[in-house]
Amino acid sequence: MAAVTADQKTQSTSGTAKAAGTGAGPAAGTAPEAADAALLAAFDAAVAADDRIEPRDWMPEAYRATLIRQMAQHAHSEIIGMQPEANWITRAPSLRRKAILMAKVQDEAGHGLYLYSAAETLGTSREELLDKLHAGRQRYSSIFNYPTLTWADVGAIGWLVDGAAITNQVPLCRCSYGPYARAMVRICKEESFHQRQGYELLLALSRGTEAQHAMAQDAVDRWWWPSLMMFGPPDDASSHSEQSMAWKIKRHSNDELRQRFVDICVPQAEALGLTLPDPDIRWNEERGQHDFGAIDWTEFQQVLKGNGPCNEQRITQRRRAHEEGAWVRDAAAAYAAKHTTPSTWTAQPAQHVEETA
Amino acid sequence: MSAALALGDDALVLSHRLGEWAGHAPVLEEEVALANIALDLLGQARVLLSLVGDADELAYLREERAFRNLQLVEQPNGDFAHTIARQLYFSVYQHLLYERLAAGDGEFAELAAKAVKEVAYHRDHAEQWVLRLGDGTAESHERMQAGLEALWRFTGEMFQPIEGLDATGTTGTTDTAGTPGTTDTAGATGTSGSGSGVDWAELESVWLSAVTATVERATLTLPTGPRTGAWAAGAGRQGLHTEPFGRMLAEMQHLHRSHPGASW
């Protein structure tokens, strides 16, 4: 649980204790405030030294709460994010594309699993987090409230949405919380693979027939702005940013990452032979970066509030899958209770995935 | 027609049905497992169909009457127990069949040897779930029993001999007696008789005992109804399918057919 004693902290194998120096490990008799101050100092020093915070280390409650919120939202995004793409599995136009898409959606379920596990190291549970998602008390990425209307959307999601996710997530591989950082290393590898596949899908369409090219352009037109919104509100309106950066959960500001993403996408769009739906994009010699047009933050706020095109549909499907699956989970639990052999049934499929991935 | 088409269509169609589960599974681990099985099957389908011709053309441009899959694999998913019943019946069959093909020296020996590892996992997954649902709660028991009953009448078709995989006096296990030259030719041309000859009656009896064992261990009852309907005996293999199949193909083929000649 949340309260971890100084003794437990010094047992930790991370660099935290070391970084705390001689000031760490207050004697058992010390006044609680002094002990807390020493723990906080050790924590701050560990963060400052770029050491990893590990599950058994002491951490401020607000740090724990922020991480749970962020990791849960990240995990929820992976599983809600399966929906817009799964929408095209049964209609994929070639067997190769169908296999790629199925593998991708499967990877997303796997990412959800890693992230829920990582969040569980903070003293919560997957069940609890899913309940909060279903009750609308925790969020998922606003991007998944947009519909996939054509096959090209699958490519646009790969290129733009996964591209934006990677830009956001690569710095998280250096996040101060160890389990999150390690999950992100694995996830980012697979995400960049998906992104290349999405790009390649769009390229095939762009160089295909006239109808295919038009389909690709239309998809990029619809996904470009929502992708830019994935970086979150502008820096001057981002409530969590400052503290998260101080804790080294975040490494760069929303606007910084958004700018980086635009700079990456402009030449890629050119190579694809597609245009970005923003007449204001142009190279700014002075800044050495691209200028780009204003984001419609009203739309962003509406989507966050639940008024996007697919909010209702996405959460309803998720709830329904969960509710309709309740009897299956109950059966598994009842069976496990009857048969005392170690329950390895959940581990089996996941293991198999790793072998074939 | 060719055995590759029959086996390939089985894998293709079941893979598609399992793909429909994505985003709807009862637990995250099953999202992974069902997609994984679907991918294995799709991989098998791609190899098998490419032995016959262009795999995409075969998948996307044939009409219902030209598909050679079992009616069992085209059955809609239903609830999780229904899907698991379908998986049990088919994966035990596929496992036993591929074991026999892998042991022989016909044209599918190599392919079956590779696929049999995947299929063993599919079978284990299905059997484990039959146990959990059968011997879980009263509700899951009832649903699992209903799933087994509903699909039982499609199981007889699995043991209709597939042309090209017939036993011709020898079985796959007595490969030393065969003369490699002749069996290879027979296998490659896809005519009757090859080193991969399957004894269908033997396959059926082994399948029946394996399924019975699992069903009984799961505290369930083996269905007693007929294993084939009046039309169902061997029908899928002859291109006679059930009504939901046409709708499934319409969804699967629509985009590909809307852009003739396009590449993706």
Side-chain angles (χ1 to χ4, degrees), chain A residues 238-280:
Chain A
S238 176
S239 49
H240 302 294
S241 279
E242 208 177 319
Q243 183 61 75
S244 287
M245 284 177 73
W247 278 329
K248 293 189 182 169
I249 295 172
K250 268 181 96 147
R251 295 277 178 164
H252 310 280
S253 80
N254 295 353
D255 287 335
E256 243 176 281
L257 291 170
R258 191 170 7 247
Q259 179 69 56
R260 188 179 296 180
F261 178 67
V262 171
D263 291 334
I264 291 168
C265 286
V266 170
Q268 289 180 345
E270 250 164 63
L272 278 172
L274 299 170
T275 57
L276 296 170
D278 179 356
D280 296 332

Side-chain angles (χ1 to χ4, degrees), chain A residues 202-215:
Chain A
L202 281 182
L203 191 63
L205 294 181
S206 178
R207 293 180 178 173
T209 64
E210 216 172 293
Q212 285 177 308
H213 181 91
M215 192 192 282

Side-chain angles (χ1 to χ4, degrees), chain A residues 164-184:
Chain A
I166 293 163
T167 309
N168 256 330
Q169 292 171 7
V170 163
L172 285 173
C173 298
R174 294 184 294 126
C175 154
S176 61
Y177 188 57
Y180 195 19
R182 288 189 288 273
M184 291 321 303

Side-chain angles (χ1 to χ4, degrees), chain A residues 60-73 122 180 240 243-245 247 249-250:
Chain A
E61 275 314 299
Y63 176 83
R64 185 184 301 275
T66 294
L67 275 170
I68 290 177
R69 182 181 53 77
Q70 185 175 334
M71 290 163 77
Q73 179 169 334
L122 292 163
Y180 195 19
H240 302 294
Q243 183 61 75
S244 287
M245 284 177 73
W247 278 329
I249 295 172
K250 268 181 96 147

Side-chain angles (χ1 to χ4, degrees), chain A residues 89-352:
Chain A
I89 286 180
T90 53
R91 293 176 287 169
S94 75
L95 298 181
R96 174 171 164 263
R97 292 292 178 197
K98 187 173 184 167
I100 290 171
L101 185 56
M102 272 188 189
K104 184 182 178 190
V105 173
Q106 182 194 29
D107 280 348
E108 282 157 5
H111 295 173
L113 281 170
Y114 301 159
L115 287 162
Y116 285 122
S117 303
E120 286 183 336
T121 65
L122 292 163
T124 180
S125 69
R126 194 208 303 186
E127 290 69 29
E128 195 181 329
L129 298 177
L130 280 174
D131 286 346
K132 285 182 180 161
L133 169 67
H134 300 149
R137 287 164 53 211
Q138 281 178 345
R139 281 175 172 163
Y140 55 87
S141 178
S142 61
I143 193 79
F144 301 119
N145 293 313
Y146 290 86
T148 47
L149 302 177
T150 72
W151 170 251
D153 290 31
V154 171
I157 288 181
W159 176 44
L160 294 174
V161 175
D162 294 340
I166 293 163
T167 309
N168 256 330
Q169 292 171 7
V170 163
L172 285 173
C173 298
R174 294 184 294 126
C175 154
S176 61
Y177 188 57
Y180 195 19
R182 288 189 288 273
M184 291 321 303
V185 172
R186 294 180 69 171
I187 290 172
C188 284
K189 270 186 211 158
E190 291 179 347
E191 293 287 7
S192 57
F193 187 57
H194 298 160
Q195 199 226 359
R196 280 203 300 277
Q197 289 172 328
Y199 182 88
E200 194 255 331
L201 190 165
L202 281 182
L203 191 63
L205 294 181
S206 178
R207 293 180 178 173
T209 64
E210 216 172 293
Q212 285 177 308
H213 181 91
M215 192 192 282
Q217 183 62 58
D218 169 62
V220 169
D221 288 348
R222 282 181 289 109
W223 287 91
W224 172 249
W225 291 108
S227 300
L228 290 190
M229 295 178 198
M230 286 175 70
F231 296 92
D235 291 349
D236 50 22
S238 176
S239 49
H240 302 294
S241 279
E242 208 177 319
Q243 183 61 75
S244 287
M245 284 177 73
W247 278 329
K248 293 189 182 169
I249 295 172
K250 268 181 96 147
R251 295 277 178 164
H252 310 280
S253 80
N254 295 353
D255 287 335
E256 243 176 281
L257 291 170
R258 191 170 7 247
Q259 179 69 56
R260 188 179 296 180
F261 178 67
V262 171
D263 291 334
I264 291 168
C265 286
V266 170
Q268 289 180 345
E270 250 164 63
L272 278 172
L274 299 170
T275 57
L276 296 170
D278 179 356
D280 296 332
I281 288 190
R282 60 181 59 83
W283 179 250
N284 182 324
E285 196 66 56
E286 251 171 66
R287 294 200 300 128
Q289 291 172 322
H290 291 88
D291 291 336
F292 56 98
I295 290 170
D296 180 356
W297 293 113
T298 322
E299 175 181 320
F300 180 69
Q301 289 305 332
Q302 282 300 316
V303 176
L304 280 191
K305 271 187 208 149
N307 301 323
C310 297
N311 298 59
E312 191 55 40
Q313 175 189 332
R314 300 284 186 245
I315 202 69
T316 301
Q317 181 179 326
R318 180 89 272 289
R319 277 191 206 122
R320 188 182 300 146
H322 191 73
E323 283 160 16
E324 286 178 358
W327 68 272
V328 176
R329 297 189 299 276
D330 290 348
Y335 181 89
K338 280 185 224 177
H339 302 268
T340 47
T341 48
S343 171
T344 53
W345 64 276
T346 49
Q348 259 172 352
Q351 242 168 17
H352 182 73

Side-chain angles (χ1 to χ4, degrees), chain B residues 22-78:
Chain B
H24 299 273
V27 61
L28 217 37
E29 283 82 354
E30 280 307 297
E31 294 283 4
V32 177
L34 295 173
N36 205 349
I37 296 169
L39 267 172
D40 286 345
L41 291 168
L42 185 54
Q44 293 164 14
R46 291 172 71 188
V47 175
L48 284 158
L49 293 180
S50 63
L51 295 176
V52 182
D54 181 281
D56 279 347
E57 270 179 38
L58 287 164
Y60 290 101
L61 299 176
R62 267 182 304 161
E63 295 193 357
E64 193 176 333
R65 292 282 282 111
F67 274 81
R68 293 289 176 265
N69 58 283
L70 297 163
Q71 290 187 349
L72 174 68
V73 295
E74 75 202 30
Q75 295 311 304
N77 289 333

Side-chain angles (χ1 to χ4, degrees), chain B residues 162-227:
Chain B
I162 297 172
E163 196 187 324
L165 300 181
D166 295 355
T168 50
T170 62
T171 65
T173 49
T174 57
D175 44 0
T176 44
T179 42
T182 49
T183 50
D184 278 352
T185 323
T189 52
T191 54
S192 69
S194 77
S196 62
V198 172
D199 180 340
W200 295 92
E202 183 262 356
L203 182 69
E204 180 164 20
S205 92
V206 177
W207 179 88
L208 199 57
S209 17
V211 167
T212 305
T214 301
V215 166
E216 286 177 355
R217 236 186 105 198
T219 74
L220 296 159
T221 318
L222 200 71
T224 51
R227 306 226 344 259

